[in-house]
Amino acid sequence: YQAQRYEAASTIFGPHTLEGYIQEFSRLARDMVAGTPSEPGTPPPDLQSELIQMMPEAHCDRVPHGVNFGDVVEGMDVQAQYSVGSIAKATFHGANPRQNQKPTGTFLTVERILDGGRSVTVAYDADWETKFHWMAGKDDPLDFGFTRTSEATVEWDIPADAAPGQYKLCYFGDHKISHTSLVVPFSGCSSVFEVTA
């Protein structure tokens, strides 16, 4: 903590964090047992204006000519059929995920297609059976911003309890437009594929 490395940057209470949690959780537990409302006390100071950003801002994004953000990369779509226990995956023309880190959203969904064409989401990026991989353009692997193209791969490790039927993988991103620095959302989905038992 004294060196102000990771641990100190993660809390405003420094080496006294554990004692603070014990104090406040003990007070809350006593109040809950007694059935009395808890006094919230003084909130910690808002230090957002004093934060230092060490990582450079993400570059503007581009896609190759003739494709759109969210389109599936040619030859990288899902297969027509998978069995439970296998991995379905698709790769999309993407954008740097730092443009919008989606703290209340998702980078991906796995959607089951119901009768009538309606779809229902069965998995998000927070589910253990899904993975999201982002890679800067192959000709710019360290993302120095030369081409500003990138790809996003969505994977779904199909669980044993997945219902047989039709599914699709969807990707949600945000790209920054070069001349305005405006960040614009986009999405794209794979082809529909069949899951069998």
mmCIF file of all heavy atoms in Angstrom, residues 49-87:
data_model
loop_
_atom_site.group_PDB
_atom_site.id
_atom_site.type_symbol
_atom_site.label_atom_id
_atom_site.label_comp_id
_atom_site.label_asym_id
_atom_site.label_seq_id
_atom_site.Cartn_x
_atom_site.Cartn_y
_atom_site.Cartn_z
ATOM 1 N N SER A 49 -12.373 13.416 -10.087
ATOM 2 C CA SER A 49 -11.694 14.527 -10.755
ATOM 3 C C SER A 49 -10.176 14.473 -10.570
ATOM 4 O O SER A 49 -9.438 15.155 -11.269
ATOM 5 C CB SER A 49 -12.228 15.859 -10.236
ATOM 6 O OG SER A 49 -11.931 15.993 -8.858
ATOM 7 N N GLU A 50 -9.706 13.654 -9.644
ATOM 8 C CA GLU A 50 -8.267 13.561 -9.380
ATOM 9 C C GLU A 50 -7.620 12.325 -9.990
ATOM 10 O O GLU A 50 -6.432 12.091 -9.794
ATOM 11 C CB GLU A 50 -8.031 13.588 -7.869
ATOM 12 C CG GLU A 50 -8.501 14.889 -7.231
ATOM 13 C CD GLU A 50 -8.267 14.921 -5.736
ATOM 14 O OE1 GLU A 50 -7.273 14.324 -5.288
ATOM 15 O OE2 GLU A 50 -9.085 15.535 -5.044
ATOM 16 N N LEU A 51 -8.415 11.506 -10.718
ATOM 17 C CA LEU A 51 -7.870 10.299 -11.329
ATOM 18 C C LEU A 51 -6.921 10.652 -12.455
ATOM 19 O O LEU A 51 -7.128 11.607 -13.199
ATOM 20 C CB LEU A 51 -9.001 9.418 -11.871
ATOM 21 C CG LEU A 51 -9.934 8.804 -10.829
ATOM 22 C CD1 LEU A 51 -11.038 8.026 -11.522
ATOM 23 C CD2 LEU A 51 -9.159 7.896 -9.899
ATOM 24 N N ILE A 52 -5.878 9.845 -12.581
ATOM 25 C CA ILE A 52 -4.900 10.021 -13.643
ATOM 26 C C ILE A 52 -5.084 8.872 -14.628
ATOM 27 O O ILE A 52 -5.085 7.704 -14.234
ATOM 28 C CB ILE A 52 -3.470 10.010 -13.078
ATOM 29 C CG1 ILE A 52 -3.281 11.158 -12.094
ATOM 30 C CG2 ILE A 52 -2.457 10.079 -14.207
ATOM 31 C CD1 ILE A 52 -1.983 11.080 -11.321
ATOM 32 N N GLN A 53 -5.248 9.193 -15.910
ATOM 33 C CA GLN A 53 -5.412 8.178 -16.942
ATOM 34 C C GLN A 53 -4.057 7.897 -17.572
ATOM 35 O O GLN A 53 -3.489 8.750 -18.250
ATOM 36 C CB GLN A 53 -6.408 8.665 -17.995
ATOM 37 C CG GLN A 53 -6.618 7.729 -19.159
ATOM 38 C CD GLN A 53 -7.118 6.367 -18.770
ATOM 39 O OE1 GLN A 53 -6.334 5.479 -18.475
ATOM 40 N NE2 GLN A 53 -8.423 6.194 -18.757
ATOM 41 N N MET A 54 -3.516 6.700 -17.319
ATOM 42 C CA MET A 54 -2.200 6.344 -17.839
ATOM 43 C C MET A 54 -2.277 5.651 -19.200
ATOM 44 O O MET A 54 -1.309 5.606 -19.934
ATOM 45 C CB MET A 54 -1.471 5.426 -16.855
ATOM 46 C CG MET A 54 -1.244 6.047 -15.488
ATOM 47 S SD MET A 54 -0.219 7.515 -15.535
ATOM 48 C CE MET A 54 1.381 6.775 -15.730
ATOM 49 N N MET A 55 -3.433 5.078 -19.525
ATOM 50 C CA MET A 55 -3.577 4.374 -20.789
ATOM 51 C C MET A 55 -4.053 5.356 -21.866
ATOM 52 O O MET A 55 -4.998 6.105 -21.636
ATOM 53 C CB MET A 55 -4.582 3.239 -20.646
ATOM 54 C CG MET A 55 -4.751 2.418 -21.899
ATOM 55 S SD MET A 55 -5.751 0.966 -21.599
ATOM 56 C CE MET A 55 -4.479 -0.186 -21.171
ATOM 57 N N PRO A 56 -3.417 5.360 -23.013
ATOM 58 C CA PRO A 56 -3.862 6.288 -24.054
ATOM 59 C C PRO A 56 -5.272 5.954 -24.526
ATOM 60 O O PRO A 56 -5.712 4.809 -24.446
ATOM 61 C CB PRO A 56 -2.840 6.086 -25.173
ATOM 62 C CG PRO A 56 -2.204 4.778 -24.906
ATOM 63 C CD PRO A 56 -2.301 4.529 -23.433
ATOM 64 N N GLU A 57 -5.950 6.953 -25.020
ATOM 65 C CA GLU A 57 -7.306 6.772 -25.514
ATOM 66 C C GLU A 57 -7.298 5.820 -26.706
ATOM 67 O O GLU A 57 -6.348 5.805 -27.499
ATOM 68 C CB GLU A 57 -7.858 8.131 -25.929
ATOM 69 C CG GLU A 57 -9.344 8.141 -26.152
ATOM 70 C CD GLU A 57 -9.874 9.541 -26.361
ATOM 71 O OE1 GLU A 57 -9.498 10.442 -25.592
ATOM 72 O OE2 GLU A 57 -10.659 9.709 -27.309
ATOM 73 N N ALA A 58 -8.347 5.041 -26.837
ATOM 74 C CA ALA A 58 -8.441 4.091 -27.952
ATOM 75 C C ALA A 58 -8.532 4.847 -29.274
ATOM 76 O O ALA A 58 -9.164 5.894 -29.364
ATOM 77 C CB ALA A 58 -9.659 3.197 -27.764
ATOM 78 N N HIS A 59 -7.905 4.289 -30.311
ATOM 79 C CA HIS A 59 -7.926 4.892 -31.641
ATOM 80 C C HIS A 59 -9.316 4.792 -32.256
ATOM 81 O O HIS A 59 -10.157 4.005 -31.817
ATOM 82 C CB HIS A 59 -6.941 4.158 -32.571
ATOM 83 C CG HIS A 59 -5.520 4.256 -32.146
ATOM 84 N ND1 HIS A 59 -4.811 5.420 -32.221
ATOM 85 C CD2 HIS A 59 -4.672 3.323 -31.643
ATOM 86 C CE1 HIS A 59 -3.579 5.206 -31.788
ATOM 87 N NE2 HIS A 59 -3.469 3.949 -31.428
ATOM 88 N N CYS A 60 -9.516 5.531 -33.316
ATOM 89 C CA CYS A 60 -10.732 5.384 -34.116
ATOM 90 C C CYS A 60 -10.682 4.021 -34.801
ATOM 91 O O CYS A 60 -9.613 3.468 -35.021
ATOM 92 C CB CYS A 60 -10.829 6.489 -35.152
ATOM 93 S SG CYS A 60 -10.910 8.122 -34.404
ATOM 94 N N ASP A 61 -11.841 3.489 -35.123
ATOM 95 C CA ASP A 61 -11.927 2.144 -35.694
ATOM 96 C C ASP A 61 -12.251 2.210 -37.184
ATOM 97 O O ASP A 61 -12.893 3.153 -37.647
ATOM 98 C CB ASP A 61 -13.021 1.346 -34.978
ATOM 99 C CG ASP A 61 -12.785 1.258 -33.486
ATOM 100 O OD1 ASP A 61 -11.861 0.535 -33.093
ATOM 101 O OD2 ASP A 61 -13.519 1.907 -32.720
ATOM 102 N N ARG A 62 -11.834 1.169 -37.897
ATOM 103 C CA ARG A 62 -12.147 1.042 -39.321
ATOM 104 C C ARG A 62 -12.486 -0.402 -39.623
ATOM 105 O O ARG A 62 -12.118 -1.306 -38.878
ATOM 106 C CB ARG A 62 -10.941 1.436 -40.176
ATOM 107 C CG ARG A 62 -10.548 2.875 -40.088
ATOM 108 C CD ARG A 62 -9.418 3.168 -41.066
ATOM 109 N NE ARG A 62 -8.926 4.528 -40.851
ATOM 110 C CZ ARG A 62 -7.663 4.873 -40.905
ATOM 111 N NH1 ARG A 62 -6.742 3.976 -41.179
ATOM 112 N NH2 ARG A 62 -7.294 6.116 -40.701
ATOM 113 N N VAL A 63 -13.150 -0.598 -40.752
ATOM 114 C CA VAL A 63 -13.370 -1.943 -41.293
ATOM 115 C C VAL A 63 -12.868 -1.948 -42.730
ATOM 116 O O VAL A 63 -12.786 -0.896 -43.365
ATOM 117 C CB VAL A 63 -14.865 -2.363 -41.244
ATOM 118 C CG1 VAL A 63 -15.313 -2.631 -39.829
ATOM 119 C CG2 VAL A 63 -15.746 -1.315 -41.908
ATOM 120 N N PRO A 64 -12.543 -3.118 -43.257
ATOM 121 C CA PRO A 64 -12.122 -3.175 -44.663
ATOM 122 C C PRO A 64 -13.241 -2.676 -45.586
ATOM 123 O O PRO A 64 -14.422 -2.735 -45.239
ATOM 124 C CB PRO A 64 -11.848 -4.670 -44.889
ATOM 125 C CG PRO A 64 -11.597 -5.223 -43.524
ATOM 126 C CD PRO A 64 -12.456 -4.414 -42.598
ATOM 127 N N HIS A 65 -12.856 -2.223 -46.750
ATOM 128 C CA HIS A 65 -13.818 -1.718 -47.729
ATOM 129 C C HIS A 65 -14.847 -2.802 -48.073
ATOM 130 O O HIS A 65 -14.494 -3.957 -48.283
ATOM 131 C CB HIS A 65 -13.087 -1.274 -49.003
ATOM 132 C CG HIS A 65 -14.002 -0.724 -50.049
ATOM 133 N ND1 HIS A 65 -14.620 0.492 -49.913
ATOM 134 C CD2 HIS A 65 -14.406 -1.241 -51.228
ATOM 135 C CE1 HIS A 65 -15.381 0.712 -50.968
ATOM 136 N NE2 HIS A 65 -15.260 -0.326 -51.793
ATOM 137 N N GLY A 66 -16.102 -2.427 -48.098
ATOM 138 C CA GLY A 66 -17.166 -3.348 -48.508
ATOM 139 C C GLY A 66 -17.814 -4.121 -47.379
ATOM 140 O O GLY A 66 -18.723 -4.923 -47.627
ATOM 141 N N VAL A 67 -17.359 -3.929 -46.145
ATOM 142 C CA VAL A 67 -18.001 -4.615 -45.017
ATOM 143 C C VAL A 67 -18.394 -3.588 -43.962
ATOM 144 O O VAL A 67 -17.937 -2.448 -43.984
ATOM 145 C CB VAL A 67 -17.091 -5.694 -44.383
ATOM 146 C CG1 VAL A 67 -16.756 -6.784 -45.369
ATOM 147 C CG2 VAL A 67 -15.827 -5.092 -43.814
ATOM 148 N N ASN A 68 -19.248 -4.012 -43.047
ATOM 149 C CA ASN A 68 -19.714 -3.146 -41.963
ATOM 150 C C ASN A 68 -19.245 -3.698 -40.617
ATOM 151 O O ASN A 68 -18.970 -4.896 -40.498
ATOM 152 C CB ASN A 68 -21.247 -3.073 -41.956
ATOM 153 C CG ASN A 68 -21.793 -2.453 -43.216
ATOM 154 O OD1 ASN A 68 -21.375 -1.378 -43.616
ATOM 155 N ND2 ASN A 68 -22.716 -3.140 -43.858
ATOM 156 N N PHE A 69 -19.198 -2.828 -39.622
ATOM 157 C CA PHE A 69 -18.942 -3.300 -38.259
ATOM 158 C C PHE A 69 -20.036 -4.302 -37.894
ATOM 159 O O PHE A 69 -21.213 -4.073 -38.138
ATOM 160 C CB PHE A 69 -18.952 -2.134 -37.268
ATOM 161 C CG PHE A 69 -17.758 -1.244 -37.378
ATOM 162 C CD1 PHE A 69 -17.827 -0.034 -38.043
ATOM 163 C CD2 PHE A 69 -16.551 -1.615 -36.811
ATOM 164 C CE1 PHE A 69 -16.728 0.799 -38.149
ATOM 165 C CE2 PHE A 69 -15.431 -0.797 -36.908
ATOM 166 C CZ PHE A 69 -15.528 0.408 -37.578
ATOM 167 N N GLY A 70 -19.633 -5.419 -37.316
ATOM 168 C CA GLY A 70 -20.592 -6.445 -36.920
ATOM 169 C C GLY A 70 -20.829 -7.514 -37.961
ATOM 170 O O GLY A 70 -21.460 -8.532 -37.667
ATOM 171 N N ASP A 71 -20.321 -7.325 -39.185
ATOM 172 C CA ASP A 71 -20.445 -8.381 -40.202
ATOM 173 C C ASP A 71 -19.533 -9.543 -39.822
ATOM 174 O O ASP A 71 -18.441 -9.343 -39.269
ATOM 175 C CB ASP A 71 -20.031 -7.881 -41.584
ATOM 176 C CG ASP A 71 -21.057 -6.956 -42.225
ATOM 177 O OD1 ASP A 71 -22.158 -6.801 -41.659
ATOM 178 O OD2 ASP A 71 -20.744 -6.384 -43.290
ATOM 179 N N VAL A 72 -19.958 -10.753 -40.163
ATOM 180 C CA VAL A 72 -19.124 -11.929 -39.928
ATOM 181 C C VAL A 72 -17.974 -11.914 -40.928
ATOM 182 O O VAL A 72 -18.166 -11.630 -42.119
ATOM 183 C CB VAL A 72 -19.955 -13.222 -40.057
ATOM 184 C CG1 VAL A 72 -19.065 -14.460 -39.947
ATOM 185 C CG2 VAL A 72 -21.045 -13.265 -38.999
ATOM 186 N N VAL A 73 -16.768 -12.191 -40.446
ATOM 187 C CA VAL A 73 -15.597 -12.273 -41.313
ATOM 188 C C VAL A 73 -15.777 -13.456 -42.266
ATOM 189 O O VAL A 73 -16.186 -14.545 -41.847
ATOM 190 C CB VAL A 73 -14.301 -12.442 -40.482
ATOM 191 C CG1 VAL A 73 -13.089 -12.667 -41.381
ATOM 192 C CG2 VAL A 73 -14.089 -11.235 -39.576
ATOM 193 N N GLU A 74 -15.476 -13.229 -43.544
ATOM 194 C CA GLU A 74 -15.667 -14.275 -44.546
ATOM 195 C C GLU A 74 -14.911 -15.547 -44.157
ATOM 196 O O GLU A 74 -13.731 -15.508 -43.809
ATOM 197 C CB GLU A 74 -15.177 -13.778 -45.910
ATOM 198 C CG GLU A 74 -15.518 -14.722 -47.036
ATOM 199 C CD GLU A 74 -15.147 -14.161 -48.400
ATOM 200 O OE1 GLU A 74 -15.018 -12.921 -48.536
ATOM 201 O OE2 GLU A 74 -14.981 -14.964 -49.320
ATOM 202 N N GLY A 75 -15.621 -16.663 -44.173
ATOM 203 C CA GLY A 75 -15.037 -17.959 -43.828
ATOM 204 C C GLY A 75 -14.935 -18.225 -42.334
ATOM 205 O O GLY A 75 -14.402 -19.257 -41.927
ATOM 206 N N MET A 76 -15.448 -17.310 -41.495
ATOM 207 C CA MET A 76 -15.327 -17.464 -40.046
ATOM 208 C C MET A 76 -16.701 -17.538 -39.365
ATOM 209 O O MET A 76 -16.838 -17.205 -38.195
ATOM 210 C CB MET A 76 -14.530 -16.293 -39.460
ATOM 211 C CG MET A 76 -13.157 -16.110 -40.074
ATOM 212 S SD MET A 76 -12.010 -17.400 -39.606
ATOM 213 C CE MET A 76 -11.528 -16.849 -38.014
ATOM 214 N N ASP A 77 -17.729 -17.940 -40.094
ATOM 215 C CA ASP A 77 -19.075 -18.067 -39.542
ATOM 216 C C ASP A 77 -19.200 -19.411 -38.822
ATOM 217 O O ASP A 77 -18.311 -20.265 -38.891
ATOM 218 C CB ASP A 77 -20.111 -17.965 -40.663
ATOM 219 C CG ASP A 77 -21.484 -17.524 -40.180
ATOM 220 O OD1 ASP A 77 -21.679 -17.389 -38.947
ATOM 221 O OD2 ASP A 77 -22.369 -17.308 -41.026
ATOM 222 N N VAL A 78 -20.304 -19.604 -38.136
ATOM 223 C CA VAL A 78 -20.566 -20.863 -37.444
ATOM 224 C C VAL A 78 -20.769 -21.990 -38.453
ATOM 225 O O VAL A 78 -21.059 -21.751 -39.627
ATOM 226 C CB VAL A 78 -21.814 -20.744 -36.537
ATOM 227 C CG1 VAL A 78 -21.574 -19.808 -35.383
ATOM 228 C CG2 VAL A 78 -23.037 -20.314 -37.349
ATOM 229 N N GLN A 79 -20.643 -23.216 -37.971
ATOM 230 C CA GLN A 79 -20.993 -24.379 -38.787
ATOM 231 C C GLN A 79 -22.516 -24.506 -38.790
ATOM 232 O O GLN A 79 -23.209 -23.868 -38.001
ATOM 233 C CB GLN A 79 -20.380 -25.644 -38.187
ATOM 234 C CG GLN A 79 -18.873 -25.627 -38.115
ATOM 235 C CD GLN A 79 -18.336 -26.821 -37.334
ATOM 236 O OE1 GLN A 79 -19.032 -27.803 -37.113
ATOM 237 N NE2 GLN A 79 -17.089 -26.724 -36.910
ATOM 238 N N ALA A 80 -23.038 -25.359 -39.628
ATOM 239 C CA ALA A 80 -24.489 -25.530 -39.724
ATOM 240 C C ALA A 80 -25.047 -26.273 -38.523
ATOM 241 O O ALA A 80 -26.201 -26.063 -38.130
ATOM 242 C CB ALA A 80 -24.850 -26.264 -41.010
ATOM 243 N N GLN A 81 -24.230 -27.140 -37.891
ATOM 244 C CA GLN A 81 -24.748 -27.969 -36.805
ATOM 245 C C GLN A 81 -23.648 -28.262 -35.781
ATOM 246 O O GLN A 81 -22.482 -28.441 -36.136
ATOM 247 C CB GLN A 81 -25.277 -29.284 -37.382
ATOM 248 C CG GLN A 81 -25.929 -30.190 -36.370
ATOM 249 C CD GLN A 81 -26.556 -31.414 -37.047
ATOM 250 O OE1 GLN A 81 -26.956 -31.359 -38.196
ATOM 251 N NE2 GLN A 81 -26.629 -32.507 -36.328
ATOM 252 N N TYR A 82 -24.054 -28.292 -34.511
ATOM 253 C CA TYR A 82 -23.162 -28.641 -33.407
ATOM 254 C C TYR A 82 -23.906 -29.586 -32.478
ATOM 255 O O TYR A 82 -25.130 -29.523 -32.353
ATOM 256 C CB TYR A 82 -22.766 -27.404 -32.591
ATOM 257 C CG TYR A 82 -21.931 -26.390 -33.334
ATOM 258 C CD1 TYR A 82 -22.538 -25.351 -34.034
ATOM 259 C CD2 TYR A 82 -20.544 -26.454 -33.310
ATOM 260 C CE1 TYR A 82 -21.777 -24.409 -34.704
ATOM 261 C CE2 TYR A 82 -19.775 -25.509 -33.973
ATOM 262 C CZ TYR A 82 -20.399 -24.489 -34.667
ATOM 263 O OH TYR A 82 -19.640 -23.551 -35.322
ATOM 264 N N SER A 83 -23.154 -30.407 -31.766
ATOM 265 C CA SER A 83 -23.755 -31.231 -30.721
ATOM 266 C C SER A 83 -23.377 -30.630 -29.369
ATOM 267 O O SER A 83 -22.405 -29.871 -29.271
ATOM 268 C CB SER A 83 -23.269 -32.681 -30.827
ATOM 269 O OG SER A 83 -21.864 -32.718 -30.738
ATOM 270 N N VAL A 84 -24.150 -30.970 -28.338
ATOM 271 C CA VAL A 84 -23.815 -30.458 -27.012
ATOM 272 C C VAL A 84 -22.400 -30.911 -26.659
ATOM 273 O O VAL A 84 -21.968 -31.985 -27.053
ATOM 274 C CB VAL A 84 -24.837 -30.925 -25.942
ATOM 275 C CG1 VAL A 84 -26.205 -30.337 -26.203
ATOM 276 C CG2 VAL A 84 -24.897 -32.427 -25.854
ATOM 277 N N GLY A 85 -21.657 -30.056 -25.948
ATOM 278 C CA GLY A 85 -20.277 -30.359 -25.592
ATOM 279 C C GLY A 85 -19.266 -29.811 -26.588
ATOM 280 O O GLY A 85 -18.080 -29.777 -26.299
ATOM 281 N N SER A 86 -19.733 -29.374 -27.759
ATOM 282 C CA SER A 86 -18.800 -28.779 -28.727
ATOM 283 C C SER A 86 -18.836 -27.257 -28.597
ATOM 284 O O SER A 86 -19.642 -26.705 -27.854
ATOM 285 C CB SER A 86 -19.134 -29.247 -30.147
ATOM 286 O OG SER A 86 -20.467 -28.934 -30.458
ATOM 287 N N ILE A 87 -17.964 -26.589 -29.327
ATOM 288 C CA ILE A 87 -17.851 -25.133 -29.221
ATOM 289 C C ILE A 87 -18.281 -24.481 -30.535
ATOM 290 O O ILE A 87 -17.687 -24.733 -31.585
ATOM 291 C CB ILE A 87 -16.407 -24.713 -28.870
ATOM 292 C CG1 ILE A 87 -16.016 -25.261 -27.500
ATOM 293 C CG2 ILE A 87 -16.265 -23.193 -28.902
ATOM 294 C CD1 ILE A 87 -14.566 -25.034 -27.112
#
